[in-house]
Amino acid sequence: MTIGLVVGAQTRHESYAVVIFGVQVLFVAVWTIASRPPAPRVVAAVGIAVAIGTDVAAVLTRPASLAPLAYVTAAGFIVGVVGQLTRPAGRQRVTESLGSSLVVTLGVVAFASVIVLSRNVRGTQAIVACLAAAGIAILIARLTDAIVALPRIAPQVPRGGAGVVLGAMVGTAAAGAIGNLLDGITPLPSALAGLATAIVAVMVDLSVGYAEASRLIDGDEPALYLARYIQGPMGAFAFAAPAAYVASVLLLL
């Protein structure tokens, strides 16, 4: 995914929007399957509709701005609420279903923010530095946990604090090195932006593991293995995207 997001940023904005839409569809599918909301079709339909709306807005808005994405987010949430309240099951588990709709909506909108970032001066360089930092941080954190998941915060979750710390450190170093190679940005701001993005990525990835463990403790059936395995990285990239946008605006653009 890191390669797709970084390499896609080198193309035209319209082409990059197609890449992002593919990632958004995968995010919606994975999150819906893994979280198992009461009305999965409603959640998925709202997510896809919001993805289309935000991608079109991110490409066509002049000048590039996040404001249209906020309007689409609000509209998507309203549609989600109406869809949940009018489904045949009525209000049964409606709070849980609305929560899933909100997470999916925010996730696809977060991915669209990268399209807006790519339209800024030095936005492509910022995407390379920040998203590479996030991808490397997740990879190092997971490799570390596979070797030695210490210190364990909860016995049900095979993740440790060492992976989070090491992943963030290596991701920051990678962003600094990338900043030294790209035109228009310098190593220190690039490393700081990479640090912010990497921290968000590894923490979201970790939190998804705890959420899945909580569902198992409550007696829910485990989701499909593939969905469980990639839900963390998908969520990590989704919510690292706005962190990359903010960090880039403050430090790199």
Side-chain angles (χ1 to χ4, degrees):
M1 183 184 298
T2 305
I3 295 174
L5 293 173
V6 169
V7 174
Q10 317 304 315
T11 63
R12 292 172 55 86
H13 305 312
E14 294 82 359
S15 301
Y16 195 34
V18 174
V19 174
I20 294 296
F21 179 68
V23 174
Q24 290 167 320
V25 171
L26 180 60
F27 172 82
V28 171
V30 168
W31 206 272
T32 303
I33 293 171
S35 61
R36 304 181 294 281
R41 293 183 180 179
V42 175
V43 173
V46 171
I48 297 299
V50 171
I52 295 172
T54 52
D55 292 348
V56 171
V59 171
L60 298 181
T61 302
R62 299 287 188 274
S65 171
L66 292 179
L69 274 61
Y71 303 144
V72 177
T73 303
F77 185 66
I78 292 172
V79 172
V81 170
V82 173
Q84 296 292 350
L85 294 179
T86 57
R87 62 192 175 93
R91 298 187 178 182
Q92 184 179 4
R93 299 177 63 193
V94 69
T95 301
E96 180 183 349
S97 195
L98 285 175
S100 297
S101 293
L102 179 59
V103 172
V104 168
T105 298
L106 292 177
V108 296
V109 173
F111 275 119
S113 68
V114 183
I115 303 174
V116 180
L117 178 59
S118 71
R119 295 178 56 198
N120 287 274
V121 178
R122 297 189 301 278
T124 299
Q125 293 93 321
I127 290 172
V128 173
C130 291
L131 295 189
I136 291 171
I138 295 170
L139 175 63
I140 295 300
R142 292 217 164 205
L143 286 176
T144 302
D145 289 336
I147 298 171
V148 53
L150 295 173
R152 294 278 285 270
I153 302 174
Q156 298 87 355
V157 182
R159 306 293 301 273
V164 173
V165 174
L166 188 59
M169 290 173 61
V170 176
T172 302
I178 291 170
N180 192 46
L181 299 175
L182 297 176
D183 293 334
I185 61 177
T186 54
L188 180 57
S190 180
L192 293 175
L195 172 63
T197 310
I199 289 176
V200 172
V202 293
M203 292 306 296
V204 171
D205 185 30
L206 181 65
S207 67
V208 170
Y210 279 92
E212 178 63 23
S214 177
R215 287 193 292 267
L216 294 178
I217 292 173
D218 291 339
D220 293 343
E221 291 292 327
L224 294 175
Y225 174 77
L226 182 59
R228 294 201 317 271
Y229 185 77
I230 64 176
Q231 184 187 18
M234 290 297 304
F237 274 104
F239 294 100
Y245 184 94
V246 173
S248 297
V249 169
L250 294 177
L251 299 167
L252 301 177
L253 302 184

